[in-house]
Amino acid sequence: CILLILLGTGSVFETKELSGISHYLEHMPFKGTKNYKKTKDLAYKFDSLGTETNAFTDREVTGYYIKISKTFSTEGLKILKDLVINPLLRKNDIEQERNVILEEYRKGLDDSEHILDELLHNTLFKGHQLSNSVIGTEKSIKNIQAKNIRKYHKEHYVLSNMSLVVIGNYPNKIHDDIKQY
């Protein structure tokens, strides 16, 4: 089954100074959570359960998903909750991830599809938040600090701003698990 948490946050909710913060924050849970302190702990857990896990950010939504056997759906739900609710957001991890995000930004400058998407949104929505870049600018990525990411997480990663989607062959008990977690 696939377990997906969607958050109503993306580039349209950002200021120019913090452009790209939704995308930056999307990366951070995979650096460590309350229950999985290190990247390798999470990777081991994902591998041991045979999961496929990823996240994405767009202009109006950020999502985290786990594709997992229905046998392990309860464990998948626990992990997904931990990723979204309990990322550690350590300053050192945030600083290290900055280089990854800057490299991703630079790769986008060589991707014609990315460039066209940016130009289209800048032209059609000039002066509107829909023109904001999802990844941000080189300047904004360099200026985003740990305190900004923690504050953004606290404001946007709240239950009232989340939707849970369950797709595929899942056990009936998942309804009880959802209420519990």
Side-chain angles (χ1 to χ4, degrees):
C1 72
I2 297 173
L3 306 170
L4 167 67
I5 290 183
L6 295 170
L7 296 127
T9 190
S11 59
V12 299
F13 300 96
E14 300 169 354
T15 63
K16 291 282 184 213
E17 299 78 31
L18 297 178
S19 178
I21 194 168
S22 298
H23 175 256
Y24 206 136
L25 175 54
E26 170 225 309
H27 281 230
M28 297 314 304
F30 297 97
K31 294 296 189 181
T33 68
K34 179 180 163 187
N35 295 308
Y36 303 95
K37 304 292 187 211
K38 299 178 184 174
T39 302
K40 68 179 184 176
D41 297 337
L42 274 166
Y44 177 79
K45 189 64 174 178
F46 295 147
D47 288 347
S48 69
L49 295 173
T51 68
E52 178 186 321
T53 306
N54 212 333
F56 58 89
T57 303
D58 205 342
R59 285 182 164 75
E60 298 180 81
V61 69
T62 299
Y64 296 84
Y65 73 86
I66 294 179
K67 186 175 181 182
I68 193 165
S69 164
K70 80 175 192 175
T71 307
F72 303 117
S73 63
T74 299
E75 192 66 25
L77 199 55
K78 283 185 206 176
I79 295 168
L80 194 58
K81 174 193 172 214
D82 200 39
L83 286 170
V84 173
I85 302 297
N86 300 315
L88 294 178
L89 305 176
R90 296 174 290 222
K91 186 175 182 178
N92 188 46
D93 293 335
I94 290 168
E95 291 307 317
Q96 286 179 347
E97 197 65 16
R98 186 179 318 278
N99 292 325
V100 172
I101 294 168
L102 284 167
E103 183 59 29
E104 193 176 340
Y105 168 80
R106 291 180 190 118
K107 280 184 180 179
L109 297 176
D110 291 333
D111 180 354
S112 58
E113 189 175 318
H114 172 78
I115 292 167
L116 286 172
D117 183 62
E118 292 289 314
L119 287 171
L120 178 68
H121 278 84
N122 282 332
T123 303
L124 289 176
F125 302 109
K126 189 174 183 91
H128 188 277
Q129 288 168 303
L130 281 171
S131 68
N132 292 354
S133 171
V134 172
I135 198 162
T137 64
E138 189 166 2
K139 181 180 178 182
S140 67
I141 294 165
K142 288 180 178 178
N143 287 330
I144 293 170
Q145 301 301 311
K147 66 179 180 180
N148 305 126
I149 291 176
R150 288 186 197 110
K151 181 179 181 205
Y152 198 82
H153 180 267
K154 187 176 182 178
E155 291 172 354
H156 295 269
Y157 281 50
V158 294
L159 191 58
S160 61
N161 198 34
M162 291 181 201
S163 296
L164 174 66
V165 180
V166 181
I167 303 167
N169 187 11
Y170 55 86
N172 288 335
K173 73 180 189 85
I174 196 127
H175 302 286
D176 295 330
D177 293 341
I178 291 168
K179 288 176 187 170
Q180 181 179 349
Y181 299 114

